[in-house]
Amino acid sequence: MQYSFQADKHLESGELEVVVKSKAHTPEVQALLNYLHRYKSENLDIIPLKTSDRIEMVKVSDIILVDVDGTDLLIDTRYGQLRTKERLYKFQERVNHPDLLQISKHALININHLDYLEDSFSGAMTAFLSNKIKTTVSRKYLKDLAKYLGL
């Protein structure tokens, strides 16, 4: 990857313009665009979660696994499980935290609670998390996880 700086006298003071050039719109390009989108955006440390009978304030660092269960989200934390009526992609956008990684079409994990990965069937892997929680990492998301882990 190459990058450079060019001064542009036509821009207002404090204004930035970023252009990403590539031969094709690859996953790496999209990851960079996502990173730029999150740049200087709020990362919440504590998020409100609406359950059926109350609103719980949960630290993102306490979240282990977020998994879809029908029309609900099951959120496994260090202290128990919460159920909320929210779509996974909406939850991910709202929380916008770099430690929450998507590992399948239906799940996010907090990378800080990942103990180890083990081979599973058909190229997928099983993620073993804190509190003896395990989940499947699909092949589609395995490459991004490996990249995040520096492998």
Side-chain angles (χ1 to χ4, degrees):
M1 177 170 30
Q2 299 175 10
Y3 51 91
S4 63
F5 170 76
Q6 295 177 346
D8 187 340
K9 295 177 183 175
H10 297 97
L11 293 175
E12 298 290 325
S13 178
E15 185 180 7
L16 293 173
E17 180 180 320
V18 178
V19 177
V20 178
K21 293 181 181 182
S22 178
K23 188 171 187 169
H25 191 100
T26 64
E28 185 178 21
V29 169
Q30 188 58 50
L32 180 58
L33 292 173
N34 292 344
Y35 175 79
L36 290 171
H37 179 72
R38 289 189 310 262
Y39 177 74
K40 282 199 170 182
S41 66
E42 272 187 59
N43 283 335
L44 300 175
D45 291 328
I46 298 178
I47 58 165
L49 290 175
K50 186 176 182 185
T51 64
S52 62
D53 58 348
R54 63 180 172 231
I55 296 175
E56 298 245 0
M57 302 305 287
V58 177
K59 291 181 183 176
V60 174
S61 60
D62 290 338
I63 295 173
I64 299 170
L65 172 69
V66 179
D67 202 358
V68 175
D69 180 34
T71 59
D72 295 348
L73 276 184
L74 294 179
I75 300 167
D76 287 294
T77 71
R78 293 184 344 177
Y79 308 107
Q81 190 176 73
L82 300 169
R83 182 178 291 270
T84 186
K85 295 270 187 203
E86 190 170 359
R87 305 288 301 262
L88 183 65
Y89 78 95
K90 289 284 190 188
F91 178 83
Q92 191 173 19
E93 286 175 0
R94 182 169 66 93
V95 175
N96 188 30
H97 202 280
D99 291 341
L100 292 178
L101 297 178
Q102 188 156 9
I103 52 132
S104 69
K105 184 168 80 169
H106 59 83
L108 304 172
I109 62 168
N110 185 331
I111 196 70
N112 297 315
H113 289 280
L114 177 64
D115 291 335
Y116 61 96
L117 294 165
E118 201 172 83
D119 284 334
S120 186
F121 63 93
S122 69
M125 294 195 92
T126 300
F128 291 83
L129 307 165
S130 303
N131 289 10
K132 299 184 181 187
I133 297 170
K134 63 181 182 176
T135 189
T136 301
V137 180
S138 71
R139 290 183 312 179
K140 179 180 177 183
Y141 294 91
L142 195 54
K143 186 186 235 183
D144 292 336
L145 178 60
K147 192 178 209 180
Y148 187 89
L149 296 172
L151 302 173

